[in-house]
Amino acid sequence: GENVEQHPSTLSVQEGDSAVIKCTYSDSASNYFPWYKQELGKGPQLIIDIRSNVGEKKDQRIAVTLNKTAKHFSLHITETQPEDSAVYFCAATSGNEKLTFGTGTRLTIIP
Amino acid sequence: DAGVTQSPTHLIKTRGQHVTLRCSPISGHKSVSWYQQVLGQGPQFIFQYYEKEERGRGNFPDRFSARQFPNYSSELNVNALLLGDSALYLCASSPTLPGPGGYEQYFGPGTRLTVT
């Protein structure tokens, strides 16, 4: 089955700087890669996703890149703000019913 | 528009008891999935339902069961509760059919289950 690894487990950046979170996946058939943000006491919130026919996708301060050959994908947050502090999860699926999640990255933005 | 709703918010049960968790998907969504999230880990897939049929099952024991109703709401049932069942149980709904290319899943706030 699919295995998703996520790094780093914790990340602290100064407000205004950029943050990068990286994930690798094992199943070459995986073709959909969402990123979720989870705040304390809440469910995961879909913030951006990318499909395997695209190499990069951007939405305002958030971007995701995908390298199918290397089987890794990354989340980039620019101009970080205090409200970006949360736990971020990557996930992968081959298009069936199941999302396989990474272990999460706790991002802390230092004012 | 209302998002995915789940009830109850919190629940405390004793080992050996049974629990039923409920989920209402986003209006118009016909697919519901259930995930278990243990503290400090990512969500783990339990079940997926579409049009009242089970479409997928994760690596969980038979003590876990679920169903989907004609209005697309869903219930997750867990029998003979163990201490290790303590977790946040998440429901996610999707607007599209499972299939190639993946599909967006939107999560509810979860039900925090504590087994003592």
Side-chain angles (χ1 to χ4, degrees):
Chain A
E2 175 66 277
N3 182 49
V4 177
E5 295 188 357
Q6 183 172 348
H7 301 281
S9 57
T10 61
L11 179 61
S12 296
V13 301
Q14 292 285 345
E15 182 178 354
D17 287 351
S18 295
V20 180
I21 302 171
K22 299 182 179 182
C23 290
T24 60
Y25 60 98
S26 61
D27 187 352
S28 58
S30 287
N31 54 13
Y32 175 66
F33 309 90
W35 285 89
Y36 286 87
K37 174 184 181 182
Q38 188 172 26
E39 297 174 298
L40 194 62
K42 298 184 178 180
Q45 175 193 3
L46 178 65
I47 56 172
I48 195 168
D49 57 15
I50 192 168
R51 287 175 168 78
S52 58
N53 58 346
V54 176
E56 183 174 358
K57 183 176 179 180
K58 188 174 181 180
D59 182 5
Q60 299 183 345
R61 298 185 297 109
I62 295 175
V64 58
T65 59
L66 171 65
N67 183 326
K68 286 178 58 181
T69 303
K71 290 193 281 189
H72 66 70
F73 56 114
S74 301
L75 177 70
H76 305 251
I77 305 174
T78 59
E79 300 173 11
T80 52
Q81 302 168 3
E83 53 265 36
D84 294 331
S85 293
V87 179
Y88 290 80
F89 291 97
C90 61
T93 180
S94 60
N96 55 20
E97 68 291 342
K98 172 186 175 181
L99 278 174
T100 300
F101 284 82
T103 49
T105 296
R106 181 173 298 280
L107 175 63
T108 302
I109 307 302
I110 305 167
Chain B
D1 287 341
V4 177
T5 60
Q6 293 186 244
S7 63
T9 305
H10 296 89
L11 202 53
I12 299 175
K13 289 286 190 178
T14 304
R15 277 175 297 176
Q17 286 188 318
H18 162 270
V19 67
T20 298
L21 310 180
R22 295 177 174 83
C23 169
S24 291
I26 294 171
S27 177
H29 288 196
K30 298 180 179 180
S31 174
V32 168
S33 298
W34 287 95
Y35 291 80
Q36 180 196 65
Q37 187 177 24
V38 175
L39 195 62
Q41 297 182 19
Q44 297 287 320
F45 173 75
I46 309 175
F47 286 109
Q48 199 263 350
Y49 277 79
Y50 179 78
E51 290 281 18
K52 296 171 286 181
E53 290 188 5
E54 182 183 303
R55 289 299 189 103
R57 175 186 286 254
N59 188 24
F60 280 81
D62 291 344
R63 299 185 295 108
F64 289 76
S65 63
R67 55 179 176 168
Q68 187 177 33
F69 299 99
N71 66 352
Y72 305 114
S73 67
S74 178
E75 282 183 356
L76 175 70
N77 295 283
V78 187
N79 292 323
L81 285 167
L82 303 174
L83 295 179
D85 294 332
S86 295
L88 180 68
Y89 288 85
L90 295 162
C91 172
S93 76
S94 175
T96 56
L97 275 169
Y103 58 103
E104 299 88 351
Q105 294 194 40
Y106 300 90
F107 284 83
T111 293
R112 172 73 61 188
L113 172 66
T114 302
V115 182
T116 62

